[in-house]
Amino acid sequence: LLKVLSHIDSILRSPRAPPLIYRRSKGPVQSYIKENGQECGFEHLPLTIEMWADQLMALKDLHRSLRKLSLELMPWHTADPQDNRESIRVEDLQFIVDAILEEIENKEKNSQTPSLHTLSGIVSHFQKLFDVNSLNGVYPRMNEVYTKLGEMTNAMRNLHELLELDSSAPPTVVVDTVGKLCDIINKNVTEQVQQLLGTQDIHSIINKLEEHERFFPPFQALIQDLLCLLEISNLDNILPVVRSLK
């Protein structure tokens, strides 16, 4: 027994031994004495061994819980045939934890990928916005919207350049500018008509038009009769033919 205890004591005193399992007794030596008369220093070892035994049992329970968690997070991983072995090492637990952490990191990296439910909602929303009755009509309507958008973008760009507006000017500013130009053009046209008819008020313009309506039909009928009577088809020939008849 003393030989065995001496061997154990040499192991416990080695640099690799945890400090927890070797403590020199502070009181009188009341237990095992080595042959050289020195105390063994592991009187508390039974309690430590009992604690280790409990920890080893808890290690199995922890391994079982981690395996359950792993199967919940990664159901495609089949059970390890060595899971039911008697001895469980810390390395086994660390391997399971590392696998779970790697899976969580991969999910976080791929979290920006939309789910099938999200994609379905996007398609449904597009169908409502652009009045698409079936899924087969989604792509053609997308192409149509893209084409129309391109045309509108080009038109707005050209209007910005023609009107000398900043490229950041909103469509409302473009519409207002076009409206002002139309008002200016209409005003100029009205002034030109007034100058052409020799009048400055709307009533005079109306009178001029009424006079034109009264004069033009009889004049047109007279010209048509002259063309038929003189057997000509060109207005420019009326005067030469009439002169020749004199």
Side-chain angles (χ1 to χ4, degrees):
L1 177 60
L2 292 176
K3 183 177 181 181
V4 173
L5 293 177
S6 177
H7 181 65
I8 294 175
D9 186 56
S10 63
I11 295 176
L12 297 179
R13 292 173 180 273
S14 67
R16 298 180 57 187
L20 175 66
I21 63 176
Y22 177 75
R23 288 179 295 193
R24 297 184 62 84
S25 300
K26 296 182 180 180
V29 179
Q30 299 177 359
S31 58
Y32 305 105
I33 302 299
K34 297 179 71 173
E35 291 181 353
N36 57 7
Q38 295 180 353
E39 52 186 288
C40 296
F42 49 83
E43 294 85 352
H44 66 289
L45 188 58
L47 295 177
T48 303
I49 293 176
E50 290 179 2
M51 180 188 69
W52 285 356
D54 294 337
Q55 292 297 316
L56 288 175
M57 292 300 297
L59 203 63
K60 292 183 179 181
D61 296 336
L62 179 59
H63 182 266
R64 191 180 306 109
S65 299
L66 287 176
R67 283 299 304 164
K68 184 177 180 180
L69 177 61
S70 175
L71 292 176
E72 287 289 335
L73 295 176
M74 301 174 290
W76 55 88
H77 285 189
T78 58
D80 191 343
Q82 298 182 356
D83 286 346
N84 297 325
R85 63 179 181 270
E86 290 295 329
S87 60
I88 301 298
R89 300 176 302 175
V90 177
E91 290 84 353
D92 301 329
L93 303 181
Q94 187 64 46
F95 176 78
I96 297 175
V97 172
D98 290 342
I100 293 175
L101 291 176
E102 183 179 359
E103 179 63 21
I104 293 175
E105 290 176 357
N106 291 334
K107 284 186 177 181
E108 291 178 351
K109 291 179 181 179
N110 298 329
S111 60
Q112 296 180 353
T113 303
S115 63
L116 181 61
H117 177 73
T118 302
L119 294 176
S120 177
I122 293 174
V123 173
S124 299
H125 187 62
F126 180 88
Q127 288 182 267
K128 291 179 181 179
L129 288 178
F130 298 100
D131 193 22
V132 182
N133 297 325
S134 64
L135 291 177
N136 293 332
V138 170
Y139 279 111
R141 185 56 58 87
M142 281 185 175
N143 294 333
E144 181 182 352
V145 171
Y146 177 78
T147 302
K148 294 294 183 182
L149 178 61
E151 294 175 354
M152 293 298 297
T153 302
N154 292 333
M156 291 299 296
R157 186 185 301 111
N158 293 333
L159 285 174
H160 279 92
E161 293 178 357
L162 291 174
L163 300 175
E164 297 182 354
L165 296 174
D166 188 81
S167 59
S168 60
T172 53
V173 175
V174 176
V175 173
D176 291 342
T177 306
V178 172
K180 292 177 181 178
L181 286 177
C182 291
D183 292 339
I184 294 173
I185 292 173
N186 291 334
K187 183 178 179 181
N188 291 336
V189 170
T190 301
E191 292 177 352
Q192 291 176 4
V193 171
Q194 290 175 350
Q195 293 176 3
L196 179 63
L197 297 177
T199 181
Q200 299 295 325
D201 58 86
I202 189 64
H203 296 290
S204 298
I205 296 174
I206 293 174
N207 293 333
K208 292 285 185 180
L209 292 175
E210 289 177 349
E211 293 176 0
H212 178 270
E213 290 180 354
R214 290 194 300 269
F215 169 78
F216 185 74
F219 178 76
Q220 184 180 20
L222 176 62
I223 295 299
Q224 290 293 336
D225 293 340
L226 285 174
L227 292 175
C228 292
L229 180 64
L230 299 175
E231 297 181 353
I232 58 177
S233 60
N234 195 337
L235 293 176
D236 296 335
N237 295 330
I238 292 178
L239 288 177
V241 173
V242 171
R243 288 173 181 171
S244 65
L245 291 176
K246 287 178 63 178

